[in-house]
C-alpha cells in the first residue's frame, strides 16, 4: 500500500482558487509518484469558483475567516467543510499545503486586524486544524519544498 499524501488541490493543477486560477507546482508529479494522493480544497465546494476572497481577521483575540468585501464571517462554514474532510480522511503520512492562503497557509498567511491591516503572519484555518488532527504527519508547504 502506498503512503497517503494530502495536497492542496491548487498545487495539483486544479482551477480552484478564488480567482478561478491554479497554482500548479512545478515538478509535483515526480514528487508524488510514490504516494496515494488525496486532493484537498475546502473553499471551492462551499463558496464556488471564482468566489470572493476571504481573509483571516483577528476579532476579539480570535482568528475569524471573513469575506474581503462583504465582511461576512464564514468561519463556521469553512470549519465545517474542513471537519468533514478530516472525518473522511482520518490518517495521512504527509501533507503539502499552499502557502499564504486563509485556509491552507502554514505560518505564511497574512493575519489582519479589523481594519484589514496586516498585523502578523500565521496559519490558515485548515492548517491550524490539520496540525491538531494529523499529529504524526509531516506537514509542509510548497515554499519549503522549493529550497
Ligand atoms: S489554497 Fe487551499 S483553499 Fe485555496 S484554492 Fe488552494 S487548496 Fe483551495
Amino acid at each position: 500500500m502506498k503512503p497517503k499524501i494530502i495536497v492542496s488541490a491548487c498545487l495539483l493543477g486544479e482551477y480552484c482558487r478564488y480567482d478561478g486560477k491554479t497554482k500548479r507546482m512545478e515538478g509535483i508529479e515526480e514528487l508524488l509518484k510514490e504516494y496515494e494522493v488525496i486532493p484537498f480544497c475546502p473553499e471551492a465546494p462551499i463558496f464556488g469558483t471564482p468566489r470572493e476572497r476571504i481573509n483571516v481577521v483577528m476579532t476579539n483575540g480570535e482568528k475569524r475567516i471573513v469575506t474581503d468585501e462583504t465582511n461576512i464571517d464564514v468561519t463556521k462554514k469553512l470549519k465545517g467543510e474542513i471537519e468533514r474532510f478530516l472525518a473522511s480522511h482520518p490518517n495521512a503520512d504527509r501533507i503539502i499545503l499552499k502557502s499564504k492562503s486563509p485556509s491552507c497557509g502554514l505560518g505564511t498567511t497574512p493575519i489582519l486586524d479589523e481594519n484589514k491591516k496586516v498585523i502578523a503572519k500565521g496559519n490558515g484555518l485548515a492548517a491550524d486544524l490539520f496540525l491538531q488532527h494529523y499529529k504524526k504527519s509531516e506537514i509542509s508547504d510548497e515554499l519549503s519544498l522549493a529550497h
Side-chain angles (χ1 to χ4, degrees):
M1 235 168 52
K2 288 182 172 181
K4 286 185 185 168
I5 186 166
I6 295 168
V7 185
S8 290
C10 55
L11 294 176
L12 295 170
E14 289 191 25
Y15 289 80
C16 53
R17 274 176 44 104
Y18 74 95
D19 56 5
K21 295 185 179 160
T22 180
K23 276 284 172 180
R24 191 181 165 280
M25 188 187 160
E26 192 74 22
I28 189 96
E29 294 81 6
E30 184 62 22
L31 184 75
L32 299 179
K33 64 183 185 202
E34 307 295 332
Y35 292 93
E36 177 192 337
V37 179
I38 304 164
F40 168 71
C41 178
E43 294 181 26
I46 44 174
F47 303 128
T49 306
R51 57 187 169 272
E52 187 179 351
R53 199 182 187 124
I54 55 176
N55 297 309
V56 181
V57 180
M58 268 325 243
T59 312
N60 300 323
E62 201 189 317
K63 279 199 247 174
R64 306 295 299 177
I65 306 294
V66 181
T67 56
D68 192 48
E69 290 187 0
T70 49
N71 259 324
I72 298 167
D73 188 325
V74 293
T75 314
K76 201 173 161 200
K77 259 190 175 172
L78 188 62
K79 193 172 180 206
E81 182 64 26
I82 297 163
E83 283 170 344
R84 274 191 289 282
F85 179 89
L86 292 173
S88 51
H89 301 286
N91 304 301
D93 298 284
R94 193 173 167 192
I95 297 161
I96 301 175
L97 293 171
K98 171 71 185 73
S99 63
K100 301 176 191 166
S101 149
S103 297
C104 297
L106 191 66
T108 54
T109 302
I111 312 292
L112 310 186
D113 66 11
E114 286 173 270
N115 300 315
K116 307 223 174 114
K117 218 178 113 221
V118 178
I119 49 171
K121 295 272 170 70
N123 296 333
L125 183 59
D128 272 340
L129 295 172
F130 276 21
L131 287 165
Q132 285 167 28
H133 181 92
Y134 298 113
K135 288 197 193 306
K136 293 188 184 147
S137 313
E138 180 192 340
I139 306 183
S140 58
D141 65 11
E142 89 288 5
L143 296 178
S144 58
L145 294 177
H147 298 298

